[in-house]
Amino acid sequence: MVHVYNCHPFASQQIVAAEQEPGLVCCGGGALFVVSAGGCKIEAYDLQREGCPLICRFGSMGSVHSIRHSAVGDYLVTIEEKNRATYLRAYTNWRYQAAEKTRVGVRLLGHFLRGSSFCGAPKEQMEIIEIPLFEPPLCVACCMLTGDLLVGCAKSLVVFSLKRQTLSEQLFVLDFERVLILHLQGWSPSQVAFCGGYVALQSELEVLVVKLTQQQKNSQSAGEHALLPEDIMTEAGLDEDAEMKKDDFSPLYEQEDFFVFPKHQEMLGSEAQDCGVSIVLEWTGIEAECRGDMNVVYVLYRRFAPDFFEGCSVEETHLQSLQLHPLYTDKEEETTISKRGEPTCMFVFFSLPNTGYMYSLKNSVELVSTYQYPEKALQSVLTDRFLYVITRNALQCFTVRCSAVAARVDDPYIDTTMKACPPFTMEVCALRIQLFIGLKLLCHDGNHIVLLTAADVDSREDIDRSNRKNISRKTSMSKSTEPADSAHGWNLYVISSVSTLQLYREIVEYSRRYEQASPLSQSCVHLLSEAHLLLRAALLTRQSCEPDERAQLQDAFQESCAHLGDCFSRFDKKDCHLALPYYKMSGLSVTDVIQRNMAMYSFSSQYGKGFIFFLKHSLYEETVEELSEDMATKVLEIFSVAEPAQIPHVVSSPSMLRADPNIAMTHLRQLEGSGSSSITLSLCMASLALRNGDLHSYRQHMDLHSEMLQVYGFIEEPKLLLHGRGKSLMPTVLSRHLRDTQEGLLVAAVVALHENSKIRLEEADCFFQELCCDGAEVQSSPQLLVDFWEALLVASTHDSIIQELLFRLASVYIDRITHRDHNTVKALKTAEDLINSCSHYGMLYPWVSILTPVQFNITDDHQEDLHKLQSLLCGPSLEVLSILPLLEQLSDTDNSGLSVHVLCATKLGQHESSIDRLLERCPQAIISYANHELQNDKLCLWWQKLFPELCERTRMTGNDNTILLSALKETLLVVSVELNPLEFLDLLPDDGTAHFFLPHLLECSQRNLMT
């Protein structure tokens, strides 16, 4: 059921003063072309000027059966008949005929390209181009993007490319080149459409849409085409296939006793290639070799079965009004028709006598709208804003969903909480059904609709009554002189459409009638949605309007969003959530929205779910404005009636900072008294008590739950601790108080927020930086932030987060050890605590403890930082390469720095340099280091590196160095076990100290004999 409203999309009408009865009409480029009933004279009228004055008239070379205008090239193409032969002709430079006695040139297609005969012809003249074909033309279409021609014949479609040759700076010549033939098997088109590579063809009850796509050139196929005859390949094979196909189906259609109807069928996308219609491409153009290969992609196939429709017999049931309609949006930079690129959307429209169908072809192929006509339709025309349909006695104006489809292609945020648009599946409606008598033809150009009427009347009164019809109650008709032939019962009307803003305001005013009758009326929402789509179409498409007019359209668009937001805010149904995006798009503040809804609910204590949904989301978001005290109080009253359980979350919102704490506490106590006590409620009441300076009440509420349960409360409502998002994140009064009194709870709560995806790591960093900037310490990495990193490292399981935390902590530890700044804030966890609770911190190696014992000559403040860094390096997770640049600032002149450097070198496999460093700086740790590190594949370093170094250093220092002698003896014990006597003997120095090694050599020999 189509909604029918009584709006006024038409502004005025004019009667064209044609001298003879029109047989055909078409329009384009701001001009109306009228073919006389005899078919041999064409008149052009100016649609842009008052009264539609005559531009020029010229004769055709035959009787015109079909006429089309192309905006690209501004030419006419006709199918004409003369002497029982059918011709295809193009009329270019027709505007020169406005000057009297202007010459007309007639030539064949491509004539001026071969030879210089054209150069001597007059320059400013209309040209008639004869376009030869192998088959008689049945139908023709012009591509509105390129100006190319598509000609439908009985067995093929022929594509002609528009060519332009410049003669001088002001003069150019148009011509055509036949570039492609699409051979059809078993199909004869009655109507064709051509646009942007899409080809639509229509027979009596079938529609097929394909797209011509470019492929990489195939050298083999190019060679085959080069061998074909110049004009066309042999069609015998194609004809045979078509005949065979026809013979296969002939039994169904040629039975004497019965007739089988084909069934309804719809194939979308790749399924359409199984429709049974075969298309074979043949390149014929001069530039075919450099164009590459084209491919046919099947897009849509629709077949209808003949049926008895209302008012239509089976014989009258056939398709009509085939049209391809592109839609551009403002995102494309090109503004001229000839430079347009790929359209945002492409639609195809076709119609049965009682039903029209519009499909979207780009991205996904789907049915957008179905139009049920009140009576039998004669012709339909699709535009960006409307679908115009004529019946025998009425002009009908239907709404379309082109802008709804384009909006979703153009903006990825449509259908989210940020933006909304009425769905393209919404039922269409008829804005106006205007009565006319004897409608015959319809065409459209820009802001004008052209109607041809030819009423079969016998009395002058009926004609006069028809002519006196006023189709606008707001704008009087333009006065024009009636043509003399109007007494014979025909008229040619030019109807102007009203502006988008004027029609928008009328529809909004119209919707108020339904709103007054029923605030929840679906008709009100429907009308406002139609008004919204009208404005969206004007803003999306390339309408040439002044900046002031565009600003007015934008203001009206925001106003329409506000109206839709008002409608959906009243709803309690599933669509109530749409109040949020529409209010956001309206540009209204939260205060404005509250005031609008309070006015609507002034006589009722109930609030719509859509309004409450908007309020909740607006208050819970971090980018909303801060409400005044009065408005915050009003919000508390609204939620106390609508959703009392949400009051703790509402009070915690940053928008409610100006709310009176006493009033808020009153509402919270009422909620607590109703038996709805919760952890979040207690924390919220504690926060309000803190804002009032009531520390006793604050402690009472905080003591109601353990710290672990309080962490769960902060997870449920993070705004108790922090407000804002990103770098603008700010701590609350409660979080500042916890910093000074319960920093462990604060850190645990923020860790829980991070692990539950309530806050990002960078946001947590900003939070602690801001929290500590007015505290006891002011530095780049305050201790509370380091405590958070350490706690998060214990809890996190994400590898990327773990590596980031390890790097940050190592950086802080190295920085503190290097600069030895005095830290007045004590860490929450010691190195021992982290080793026991976190797998990323390892036990200190024995040799590390020798280098830096617990009582080391370093300040107590940084003893823990050193041990934590050493523990990280002893653990399994830290990637040493990531912190190597940081080690440059850490000196190894003392044992603290030496321990870190040796740990890093050892983890990188640099054991030999580590042995040198330890022997030089701390030889007492060398045996412990060797016992721990020189194992498995590094065991050979005992005798290859450590033993020679000890021998050399002992010889240089003498026997007085007991540390080196002890280390040498420990090394000999290991070497004597791991090597056989000969290998051991080769290691001994030849400086006359063999007696020192003889006991170890003897032990090695005895062990070797035993084994």
Side-chain angles (χ1 to χ4, degrees):
M1 183 69 182
V2 177
H3 295 271
V4 180
Y5 301 107
N6 191 27
C7 297
H8 297 79
F10 309 126
S12 63
Q13 79 176 25
Q14 302 177 74
I15 298 178
V16 180
E19 292 184 354
Q20 298 181 6
E21 180 178 357
L24 295 172
V25 295
C26 80
C27 50
L32 167 64
F33 303 94
V34 180
V35 181
S36 62
C40 293
K41 185 174 71 172
I42 301 175
E43 296 177 337
Y45 296 90
D46 193 344
L47 292 175
Q48 307 296 330
R49 294 171 59 187
E50 184 72 21
C52 299
L54 179 70
I55 300 175
C56 63
R57 62 169 57 92
F58 51 90
S60 61
M61 297 183 67
S63 177
V64 179
H65 290 179
S66 175
I67 183 170
R68 296 286 185 272
H69 176 268
S70 173
V72 180
D74 193 24
Y75 69 86
L76 292 170
V77 59
T78 62
I79 297 177
E80 304 177 10
E81 182 181 359
K82 188 174 183 180
N83 298 329
R84 297 184 180 181
T86 307
Y87 301 91
L88 181 68
R89 296 188 175 100
Y91 293 77
T92 65
N93 297 334
W94 55 269
R95 294 183 188 269
Y96 290 148
Q97 290 299 104
E100 295 183 0
K101 300 181 181 179
T102 302
R103 296 179 58 179
V104 177
V106 182
R107 62 183 175 87
L108 285 174
L109 172 146
H111 175 70
F112 74 94
L113 296 177
R114 297 190 299 271
S116 58
S117 59
F118 180 77
C119 298
K123 308 305 182 197
E124 293 187 2
Q125 64 178 18
M126 185 179 82
E127 286 194 314
I128 303 176
I129 304 174
E130 189 87 23
I131 303 177
L133 294 165
F134 289 95
E135 297 180 89
L138 302 177
C139 46
V140 65
C142 303
C143 176
M144 65 176 64
L145 308 184
T146 62
D148 295 346
L149 276 179
L150 177 70
V151 184
C153 303
K155 297 181 180 180
S156 63
L157 304 175
V158 186
V159 178
F160 292 89
S161 175
L162 178 65
K163 301 293 181 181
R164 182 191 299 258
Q165 176 162 314
T166 304
L167 301 179
S168 65
E169 293 183 358
Q170 291 80 23
L171 296 176
F172 59 87
V173 176
L174 296 181
D175 199 54
F176 299 90
E177 178 191 358
R178 188 183 67 179
V179 294
L180 185 65
I181 299 177
L182 291 79
H183 298 278
L184 306 176
Q185 300 184 32
W187 182 288
S188 182
S190 60
Q191 194 172 355
V192 293
F194 188 36
C195 186
Y198 288 90
V199 175
L201 42 156
Q202 170 184 296
S203 65
E204 187 171 334
L205 290 172
E206 293 176 280
V207 172
L208 175 65
V209 181
V210 299
K211 186 177 183 183
L212 303 177
T213 59
Q214 194 87 25
Q215 284 188 333
Q216 290 185 352
K217 186 174 180 181
N218 187 313
S219 59
Q220 181 178 357
S221 62
E224 291 174 356
H225 280 293
L227 296 175
L228 288 172
E230 180 182 355
D231 295 323
I232 191 169
M233 65 180 184
T234 304
E235 295 185 1
L238 297 176
D239 293 340
E240 284 185 16
D241 292 341
E243 291 299 325
M244 290 174 60
K245 182 175 180 181
K246 183 177 179 181
D247 292 341
D248 290 340
F249 288 93
S250 59
L252 294 176
Y253 294 96
E254 296 180 2
Q255 294 289 339
E256 295 180 356
D257 299 332
F258 62 91
F259 186 86
V260 178
F261 288 121
K263 63 180 180 180
H264 287 284
Q265 194 169 21
E266 180 188 55
M267 296 180 177
L268 306 180
S270 58
E271 295 179 358
Q273 64 186 358
D274 299 326
C275 64
V277 180
S278 176
I279 299 178
V280 180
L281 299 183
E282 178 195 356
W283 275 107
T284 61
I286 297 175
E287 301 176 3
E289 288 75 12
C290 61
R291 282 179 174 264
D293 288 341
M294 296 291 289
N295 184 36
V296 176
V297 177
Y298 288 78
V299 178
L300 166 68
Y301 175 77
R302 186 76 190 261
R303 181 174 65 197
F304 298 90
D307 203 350
F308 289 95
F309 292 90
E310 295 182 9
C312 301
S313 64
V314 173
E315 292 76 12
E316 294 175 322
T317 304
H318 58 83
L319 290 167
Q320 62 186 20
S321 304
L322 178 67
Q323 184 179 349
L324 286 170
H325 182 71
L327 185 66
Y328 286 85
T329 60
D330 257 341
K331 282 193 173 181
E332 284 92 10
E333 296 180 357
E334 298 86 9
T335 56
T336 60
I337 295 176
S338 60
K339 292 184 179 180
R340 285 184 174 179
E342 190 78 8
T344 303
C345 298
M346 181 69 72
F347 303 95
V348 64
F349 176 83
F350 48 87
S351 180
L352 288 169
N354 288 89
T355 310
Y357 302 89
M358 185 175 77
Y359 285 83
S360 174
L361 301 180
K362 289 199 70 174
N363 299 323
S364 61
V365 184
E366 54 187 326
L367 178 64
V368 175
S369 301
T370 301
Y371 296 87
Q372 299 291 336
Y373 308 137
E375 54 183 318
K376 178 184 174 182
L378 302 179
Q379 190 180 353
S380 308
V381 173
L382 176 66
T383 69
D384 288 343
R385 296 200 305 167
F386 302 114
L387 173 71
Y388 299 105
V389 180
I390 58 170
T391 63
R392 184 173 179 271
N393 293 313
L395 168 63
Q396 303 173 2
C397 177
F398 293 88
T399 57
V400 296
R401 300 290 171 257
C402 298
S403 59
V405 176
R408 287 166 171 82
V409 176
D410 197 58
D411 192 342
Y413 291 99
I414 296 293
D415 297 328
T416 66
T417 58
M418 299 297 296
K419 295 181 181 180
C421 178
F424 62 81
T425 54
M426 183 178 68
E427 289 185 355
V428 295
C429 69
L431 290 181
R432 182 77 177 177
I433 297 180
Q434 181 66 45
L435 297 180
F436 281 89
I437 295 178
L439 285 170
K440 299 297 183 183
L441 292 175
L442 162 71
C443 60
H444 168 269
D445 180 59
N447 198 39
H448 301 92
I449 305 160
V450 177
L451 298 176
L452 173 62
T453 64
D456 299 328
V457 293
D458 297 328
S459 65
R460 176 70 181 178
E461 293 181 0
D462 291 339
I463 302 175
D464 292 340
R465 185 163 52 251
S466 170
N467 292 336
R468 288 195 301 269
K469 288 285 184 181
N470 187 350
I471 62 174
S472 175
R473 61 177 180 176
K474 298 182 179 180
T475 306
S476 61
M477 299 301 176
S478 301
K479 295 182 180 180
S480 60
T481 305
E482 273 193 35
D485 287 343
S486 62
H488 300 293
W490 62 266
N491 270 317
L492 193 58
Y493 296 96
V494 176
I495 301 174
S496 300
S497 301
V498 300
S499 68
T500 300
L501 284 172
Q502 181 179 339
L503 183 57
Y504 160 75
R505 295 189 181 100
E506 182 187 359
I507 294 177
V508 171
E509 185 66 28
Y510 200 112
S511 69
R512 291 199 175 105
R513 305 178 193 176
Y514 293 96
E515 182 182 2
Q516 292 171 359
S518 173
L520 300 179
S521 169
Q522 286 292 335
S523 295
C524 176
V525 179
H526 193 180
L527 277 169
L528 289 175
S529 298
E530 297 289 4
H532 178 88
L533 289 177
L534 273 178
L535 294 172
R536 189 178 282 277
L539 291 170
L540 273 177
T541 55
R542 303 165 176 268
Q543 288 197 354
S544 57
C545 55
E546 298 297 328
D548 292 342
E549 183 182 353
R550 189 166 186 83
Q552 292 177 4
L553 286 171
Q554 187 63 42
D555 292 341
F557 179 78
Q558 290 185 327
E559 181 187 78
S560 75
C561 293
H563 289 319
L564 285 171
D566 292 341
C567 285
F568 289 113
S569 68
R570 296 189 291 261
F571 281 9
D572 291 334
K573 300 179 181 179
K574 63 178 182 179
D575 291 334
C576 65
H577 68 280
L578 293 175
L580 176 63
Y582 279 119
Y583 274 141
K584 282 186 176 181
M585 294 162 62
S586 70
L588 296 174
S589 65
V590 177
T591 300
D592 295 335
V593 173
I594 294 173
Q595 290 173 344
R596 290 170 71 99
N597 280 270
M598 293 305 297
M600 288 189 288
Y601 298 112
S602 57
F603 302 104
S604 174
S605 60
Q606 298 295 323
Y607 301 97
K609 288 185 178 179
F611 174 52
I612 300 301
F613 182 83
F614 164 79
L615 263 188
K616 285 195 296 185
H617 277 262
S618 298
L619 294 175
Y620 299 162
E621 289 180 357
E622 305 296 347
T623 56
V624 76
E625 76 273 9
E626 194 172 314
L627 300 178
S628 65
E629 181 178 347
D630 293 341
M631 196 55 60
T633 301
K634 181 61 66 177
V635 169
L636 289 172
E637 293 175 358
I638 292 172
F639 277 95
S640 66
V641 173
E643 292 190 27
Q646 293 295 322
I647 293 180
H649 304 284
V650 172
V651 172
S652 303
S653 170
S655 304
M656 302 288 288
L657 288 177
R658 296 183 185 177
D660 189 335
N662 295 319
I663 296 177
M665 186 66 82
T666 301
H667 286 286
L668 291 175
R669 288 197 180 105
Q670 291 176 354
L671 180 62
E672 186 181 33
S674 66
S676 301
S677 180
S678 65
I679 304 171
T680 306
L681 177 60
S682 300
L683 291 174
C684 188
M685 297 178 74
S687 178
L688 286 176
L690 196 61
R691 288 172 57 184
N692 277 333
D694 188 354
L695 294 179
H696 177 70
S697 178
Y698 163 79
R699 180 48 55 193
Q700 281 184 329
H701 289 105
M702 291 296 287
D703 290 342
L704 290 176
H705 306 284
S706 65
E707 286 193 355
M708 181 59 70
L709 292 178
Q710 288 173 3
V711 169
Y712 287 115
F714 289 126
I715 294 174
E716 185 177 350
E717 185 45 78
K719 295 180 184 63
L720 288 166
L721 293 178
L722 44 90
H723 289 161
R725 298 292 292 178
K727 295 182 179 180
S728 61
L729 197 142
M730 298 293 294
T732 63
V733 175
L734 178 59
S735 61
R736 295 185 185 277
H737 186 75
L738 292 177
R739 175 199 63 189
D740 300 329
T741 58
Q742 292 177 277
E743 63 271 20
L745 172 60
L746 178 61
V747 169
V750 179
V751 169
L753 292 179
H754 180 275
E755 291 302 287
N756 286 273
S757 302
K758 303 288 186 179
I759 187 175
R760 298 192 300 271
L761 182 59
E762 294 76 12
E763 292 175 329
D765 293 345
C766 294
F767 168 75
F768 281 108
Q769 293 280 6
E770 185 66 30
L771 185 65
C772 298
C773 68
D774 59 347
E777 55 174 348
V778 180
Q779 53 181 333
S780 59
S781 299
Q783 182 57 49
L784 203 58
L785 176 58
V786 178
D787 291 333
F788 165 72
W789 289 343
E790 292 174 345
L792 184 58
L793 186 61
V794 176
S796 182
T797 57
H798 301 286
D799 290 338
S800 59
I801 297 294
I802 290 172
Q803 290 301 321
E804 178 67 21
L805 292 173
L806 289 171
F807 176 78
R808 293 185 182 189
L809 289 170
S811 303
V812 171
Y813 298 151
I814 292 173
D815 184 70
R816 289 182 177 180
I817 297 168
T818 302
H819 296 94
R820 308 285 177 90
D821 294 332
H822 186 64
N823 190 8
T824 59
V825 180
K826 188 176 181 181
L828 289 177
K829 289 189 177 183
T830 64
E832 193 66 27
D833 295 334
L834 292 173
I835 291 172
N836 293 331
S837 62
C838 182
S839 62
H840 306 294
Y841 288 86
M843 292 291 295
L844 297 186
Y845 302 151
W847 61 270
V848 177
S849 300
I850 297 174
L851 275 173
T852 55
V854 176
Q855 300 300 328
F856 190 57
N857 59 344
I858 189 171
T859 58
D860 292 338
D861 295 331
H862 297 98
Q863 181 73 44
E864 285 295 327
D865 294 321
L866 174 62
H867 284 177
K868 288 177 181 178
L869 177 59
Q870 292 171 339
S871 180
L872 279 182
L873 291 170
C874 293
S877 305
L878 179 62
E879 295 180 359
V880 177
L881 286 174
S882 65
I883 66 169
L884 280 183
L886 304 175
L887 293 180
E888 296 178 1
Q889 62 178 314
L890 180 61
S891 173
D892 62 351
T893 55
D894 60 4
N895 282 10
S896 61
L898 178 64
S899 65
V900 175
H901 280 278
V902 174
L903 273 169
C904 291
T906 301
K907 294 200 75 170
L908 293 173
Q910 301 170 3
H911 293 79
E912 296 187 24
S913 62
S914 299
I915 292 173
D916 290 335
R917 281 189 174 185
L918 289 176
L919 288 174
E920 183 69 30
R921 301 284 305 282
C922 188
Q924 61 268 29
I926 190 61
I927 295 302
S928 179
Y929 175 85
N931 285 328
H932 188 271
E933 302 295 344
L934 304 185
Q935 303 291 334
N936 301 323
D937 60 325
K938 301 297 181 182
L939 186 63
C940 61
L941 292 179
W942 279 93
W943 54 87
Q944 292 179 359
K945 177 63 180 178
L946 183 57
F947 179 72
E949 287 290 336
L950 287 173
C951 289
E952 180 66 25
R953 292 175 187 273
T954 304
R955 183 187 307 110
M956 294 175 60
T957 59
N959 295 332
D960 295 334
N961 195 326
T962 58
I963 295 177
L964 290 177
L965 283 173
S966 176
L968 181 57
K969 290 178 181 180
E970 292 291 335
T971 303
L972 285 171
L973 289 176
V974 175
V975 172
S976 64
V977 173
E978 298 297 334
L979 299 181
N980 60 50
L982 290 177
E983 292 172 337
F984 186 84
L985 186 61
D986 288 339
L987 290 177
L988 299 182
D990 54 358
D991 57 356
T993 57
H995 65 278
F996 179 80
F997 302 101
L998 285 178
H1000 300 284
L1001 179 60
L1002 180 61
E1003 182 180 354
C1004 178
S1005 301
Q1006 291 175 350
R1007 184 177 292 107
N1008 187 65
L1009 289 173
M1010 292 177 62
T1011 58

